[in-house]
């Protein structure tokens, strides 16, 4: 088994996760089985309790693990199926080490960062290797080289590489080569300093992937090669892509990154066939159709907060050979200026999940506008609850209907806390989480889109539709098209006599891929295009 470690230097948010995912794509297309994992140095046990402003999106796996958003890239770019074993935090490491100490596992020894913390980190690499049976494990180290909290992870992979032996490990360091506008040139000194810091710890990278805004010429590559002690061919240009993150595998292939990795790891494989990936890029760059859709949320100012939603909408466009222009709309702006001003002219509106009361009334106005104006609507988790509240208030005339999440004293709690959640006191990892079965109704829009009547989707929520109001809603034309197998929990809702008004309690965005667009997003984009152009893209 071979091991690739991806580290980052100079600044954070360089795209280490995308680099790891894109490399995974290339290696998979060479016929190798690839597994990816992310090590996060923060002390939280997982990102589930963190604000989107702190961490961006929380990505949920089939087994209910709340993980880093980079795991979303791993699943979108490759065929790997991830579990909680694929994401490790310092919080999990120290929790395990301290539990071991309390149980006497260390036989009276003084518990230290080396070897006990580093051994636990190495154990997680070995555990993934055993369970995945992959040919190659790609491990991304979060944070920036030199961060104090990340040092145990870097030390652990240094030790691991020594134990694995020559030819079995490859270190890729993703760094930043800034363009200084006043000087009109790229500067390599930050990269030199970052690699020097890594070498102080005992790791010399095999490959340096240079993130840059401008092309990296031969002279600069030679400079980085000489001062960072790597071969010239191992200085890889990772320039900002022009159109989409899905260009990255093809860009890195042009830089021969996968060839180089295979040589370092003594892997003999055929060149990857990337024809299907090239077709994805063609549909992104030169689609046959175009449409504008709005995303109404409260974290619109932060790109990463709705990362999987944005990507799934793009995938829906790929599935229809349709370019999707995403219009990001702050829910509070709708409260100020009205839904018509903010939503008019769009092909459809998507309301994603979220927590907290801020912006709720703006989202309700968006759902009302979509319902009344026959504008295609896709609601995700909170977006389903919003549509329910709006229908209760304006169609059923249940004044002040609301969710008990936002108003505990509402006279009409059409959305209420799940029974299983009523005795929960801890916040972390206690929601209804992970993949669960859903039964779709015969003849429903959702059933037609999926082409199946039993589906499995990932959840992350505490509140649900209140069944005490179910009969009232059904009599008014509100369709419960998806439920839990026992019929007790509402999972999908639709409206009669509407071109596309579908909302789910689950998060379909987590299962969408560029080459396998999720059925709900594909159907939504098709309906949005038809709304504007009065021309169907495909037959449901």
């Amino acid at each position: 088994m071979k091991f690739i470690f991806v580290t980052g230097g100079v600044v954070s948010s360089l795209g280490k996760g995308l680099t790891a995912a894109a490399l995974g794509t290339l290696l998979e297309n060479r016929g190798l089985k690839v597994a990816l994992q992310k090590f996060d140095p923060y002390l939280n046990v997982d990102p589930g309790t963190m604000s989107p402003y702190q961490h961006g999106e929380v990505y949920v796996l089939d087994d209910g693990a709340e993980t880093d958003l980079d795991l979303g890239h791993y699943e979108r770019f490759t065929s790997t199926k991830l579990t909680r074993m694929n994401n490790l935090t310092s919080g999990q490491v120290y929790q395990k080490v301290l539990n071991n100490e309390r149980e006497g596992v260390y036989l009276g020894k003084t518990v230290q960062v080396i070897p006990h913390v580093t051994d636990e980190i190495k154990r997680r690499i070995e555990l993934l290797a055993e369970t995945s049976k992959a040919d190659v494990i790609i491990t991304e180290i979060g944070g920036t080289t030199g961060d104090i909290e990340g040092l145990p992870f870097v030390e652990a992979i240094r030790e691991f590489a020594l134990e694995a032996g020559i030819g079995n490990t490859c270190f890729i360091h993703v760094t930043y080569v800034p363009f200084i506008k006043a000087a009109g040139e790229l500067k390599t000194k930050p990269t030199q300093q970052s690699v020097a810091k890594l070498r102080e710890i005992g790791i010399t990278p095999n490959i340096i992937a240079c993130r840059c805004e401008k092309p990296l010429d031969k002279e600069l590559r030679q400079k980085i090669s000489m001062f960072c002690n790597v071969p010239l061919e191992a200085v890889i240009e990772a320039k900002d892509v022009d159109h989409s993150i899905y260009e990255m595998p093809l860009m890195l292939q042009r830089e021969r990154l996968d060839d180089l990795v295979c040589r370092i790891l003594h892997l003999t494989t055929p060149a990857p066939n990337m024809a299907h990936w090239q077709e994805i890029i063609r549909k992104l760059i030169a689609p046959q159709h175009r449409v504008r859709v709005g995303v109404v949320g409260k974290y619109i100012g932060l790109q990463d907060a709705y990362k999987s939603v944005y990507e799934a909408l793009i995938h829906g466009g790929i599935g229809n050979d349709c370019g999707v222009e995403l219009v990001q709309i702050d829910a509070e702006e709708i409260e100020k200026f009205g839904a018509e001003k903010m939503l008019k002219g769009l092909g459809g509106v998507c309301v994603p999940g979220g927590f907290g009361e801020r912006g709720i009334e703006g989202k309700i106005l968006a759902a009302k506008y979509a319902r009344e104006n026959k504008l295609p609507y896709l609601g995700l988790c909170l977006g389903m609850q919003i549509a329910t509240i709006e229908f209760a208030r304006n169609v059923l005339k249940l004044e002040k209907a609301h969710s008990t999440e936002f108003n505990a004293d509402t006279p009409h709690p059409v959305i209420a806390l799940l029974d299983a959640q009523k005795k929960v006191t801890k916040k972390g990892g206690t929601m209804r989480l992970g993949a669960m079965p859903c039964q779709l109704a015969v003849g429903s829009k959702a059933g037609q889109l999926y082409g199946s009547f039993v589906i499995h989707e990932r959840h992350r929520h505490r509140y649900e539709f209140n069944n005490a109001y179910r009969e009232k809603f059904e009599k008014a034309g509100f369709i419960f098209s998806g439920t839990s197998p026992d019929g007790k929990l509402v999972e999908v809702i639709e409206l009669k006599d509407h071109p596309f008004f579908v909302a789910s309690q689950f998060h379909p965005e987590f299962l969408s891929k560029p080459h396998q667009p999720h059925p709900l997003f594909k159907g939504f984009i098709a309906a949005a295009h038809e709304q504007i152009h009065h021309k169907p893209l495909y037959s449901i």
Side-chain angles (χ1 to χ4, degrees):
M1 189 172 289
K2 307 295 183 177
F3 301 88
I4 299 169
F5 298 102
V6 180
T7 58
V10 184
V11 292
S12 60
S13 301
L14 279 179
K16 297 188 300 296
L18 282 169
T19 302
L23 177 57
T25 302
L26 293 172
L27 295 179
E28 269 199 350
N29 281 278
R30 282 177 171 263
L32 296 167
K33 184 178 181 183
V34 178
L36 298 99
Q37 64 182 166
K38 172 78 181 286
F39 289 171
D40 280 306
Y42 51 72
L43 284 172
N44 302 66
V45 173
D46 59 47
T49 58
M50 295 168 72
S51 163
Y53 290 108
Q54 288 280 309
H55 190 264
E57 169 190 81
V58 174
Y59 187 79
V60 180
L61 304 179
D62 276 357
D63 65 359
E66 295 174 291
T67 68
D68 183 80
L69 62 83
D70 277 322
L71 275 76
H73 294 315
Y74 301 165
E75 286 202 330
R76 284 188 284 271
F77 276 75
T78 71
S79 62
T80 185
K81 268 291 184 183
L82 305 180
T83 71
R84 61 185 69 252
M85 286 295 102
N86 297 80
N87 196 194
L88 180 68
T89 68
S90 288
Q92 293 173 28
V93 172
Y94 287 110
Q95 190 177 63
K96 178 65 174 176
V97 168
L98 292 175
N99 286 342
N100 285 347
E101 184 272 334
R102 292 289 83 186
E103 293 169 10
V105 171
Y106 301 127
L107 303 176
K109 292 180 181 177
T110 301
V111 180
Q112 297 176 287
V113 173
I114 302 172
H116 301 103
V117 170
T118 52
D119 280 353
E120 178 58 24
I121 294 168
K122 290 187 290 183
R123 188 186 73 84
R124 285 294 291 267
I125 302 172
E126 292 162 356
L127 190 58
L128 181 63
E130 291 169 12
T131 56
S132 69
K133 307 297 183 187
D135 299 307
V136 180
I137 305 286
I138 302 177
T139 303
E140 176 195 348
I141 310 299
T144 307
T145 298
D147 291 348
I148 191 167
E149 64 265 29
L151 290 176
F153 289 93
V154 180
E155 169 61 20
I157 63 174
R158 182 197 69 79
E159 295 174 15
F160 189 93
L162 185 66
E163 294 162 10
I166 296 171
N168 292 319
T169 60
C170 174
F171 289 98
I172 300 175
H173 191 57
V174 182
T175 185
Y176 182 49
V177 181
F179 178 73
I180 307 301
K181 192 173 181 181
E185 60 182 356
L186 293 164
K187 291 292 185 181
T188 66
K189 189 62 70 176
T191 294
Q192 295 174 41
Q193 294 294 326
S194 176
V195 172
K197 177 65 70 175
L198 197 60
R199 290 169 68 185
E200 281 177 19
I201 301 166
I203 294 173
T204 298
N206 301 98
I207 299 168
I208 299 175
C210 301
R211 294 285 289 108
C212 49
E213 300 171 44
K214 306 285 184 180
L216 205 62
D217 63 31
K218 187 175 180 180
E219 185 179 344
L220 286 171
R221 293 186 194 229
Q222 288 173 331
K223 193 173 183 180
I224 292 170
S225 169
M226 180 175 65
F227 283 104
C228 296
N229 197 35
V230 297
L232 180 62
E233 65 175 350
V235 179
I236 301 294
E237 177 187 283
K239 186 174 167 288
D240 294 352
V241 292
D242 295 323
H243 300 94
S244 166
I245 59 173
Y246 301 112
E247 295 175 70
M248 280 198 68
L250 299 178
M251 179 185 73
L252 294 178
Q253 185 186 32
R254 287 193 295 271
E255 289 288 305
R256 305 184 72 83
L257 174 62
D258 52 319
D259 285 340
L260 186 56
V261 166
C262 287
R263 287 209 306 276
I264 291 168
L265 295 176
H266 304 156
L267 291 166
T268 303
T269 65
N273 180 358
M274 300 296 288
H276 67 293
W277 211 263
Q278 290 166 343
E279 180 61 11
I280 289 170
I281 301 306
R282 197 279 301 163
K283 290 178 179 178
L284 287 168
I285 295 174
Q288 293 185 27
H289 315 280
R290 293 192 181 274
V291 71
R292 294 171 73 240
V293 298
V295 179
V296 178
K298 63 183 288 188
Y299 308 117
I300 288 299
L302 185 67
Q303 180 70 17
D304 283 347
Y306 302 116
K307 187 64 179 172
S308 290
V309 175
Y310 295 152
E311 294 306 315
L313 289 166
I314 297 298
H315 302 163
I318 294 171
N320 288 291
D321 205 348
C322 181
V324 178
E325 180 187 343
L326 298 176
V327 181
Q328 298 166 327
I329 302 165
D330 192 318
E332 291 180 284
E333 296 291 295
I334 294 179
E335 293 173 8
K336 290 178 186 176
F337 304 112
E340 183 170 5
K341 180 176 180 180
M342 303 300 295
L343 303 179
K344 192 173 182 180
L346 296 175
V349 60
C350 174
V351 178
F355 299 91
E357 191 174 2
R358 182 171 61 84
I360 289 298
E361 294 302 322
K363 294 177 184 180
I364 291 172
L365 288 172
K368 181 174 186 285
Y369 181 87
R371 178 180 59 80
E372 292 180 341
N373 292 276
K374 306 295 185 184
L375 181 68
Y377 178 91
L378 179 63
L380 312 171
C381 195
L382 179 61
M384 187 200 95
Q385 298 174 5
I386 289 298
T388 302
I389 295 165
E390 187 282 319
F391 193 89
R393 289 182 184 179
N394 299 305
V395 178
L396 301 182
K397 305 301 179 184
L398 299 177
E399 191 177 349
K400 297 182 181 178
H402 220 314
S403 166
T404 55
E405 179 181 3
F406 311 121
N407 180 3
D409 300 320
T410 174
H412 296 291
V414 292
I415 302 295
L417 192 66
L418 282 159
D419 289 341
Q421 292 286 318
K422 290 179 179 176
K423 294 182 180 179
V424 171
T425 55
K426 292 183 178 180
K427 299 294 184 186
T430 57
M431 285 186 266
R432 186 172 182 240
L433 291 165
M436 313 231 178
C438 171
Q439 183 77 40
L440 298 178
V442 175
S444 65
K445 175 79 77 175
Q448 290 174 326
L449 291 169
Y450 277 95
S452 174
F453 297 107
V454 178
I455 60 171
H456 288 76
E457 292 281 1
R458 297 176 184 177
H459 296 69
R460 185 176 186 252
H461 65 105
R462 296 186 194 277
Y463 292 80
E464 263 281 0
F465 180 84
N466 186 344
N467 284 322
Y469 292 87
R470 202 150 163 177
E471 190 177 341
K472 272 191 175 75
F473 275 79
E474 286 180 321
K475 284 181 179 178
F478 198 82
I479 303 169
F480 299 102
S481 58
T483 64
S484 56
D486 61 9
K488 292 181 179 179
L489 299 178
V490 172
E491 298 278 27
V492 186
I493 61 99
E494 301 174 13
L495 291 184
K496 284 182 180 178
D497 304 320
H498 194 288
F500 191 102
F501 197 106
V502 180
S504 66
Q505 184 59 73
F506 48 75
H507 289 268
E509 66 270 23
F510 292 147
L511 293 183
S512 188
K513 297 173 182 277
H515 53 284
Q516 294 173 350
H518 192 282
L520 293 186
F521 287 92
K522 185 176 178 181
F524 171 66
I525 295 301
H529 179 274
E530 186 171 356
Q531 169 77 10
I532 294 296
H533 302 283
H534 309 293
K535 183 179 180 182
L537 288 179
Y538 73 100
S539 298
I540 296 173

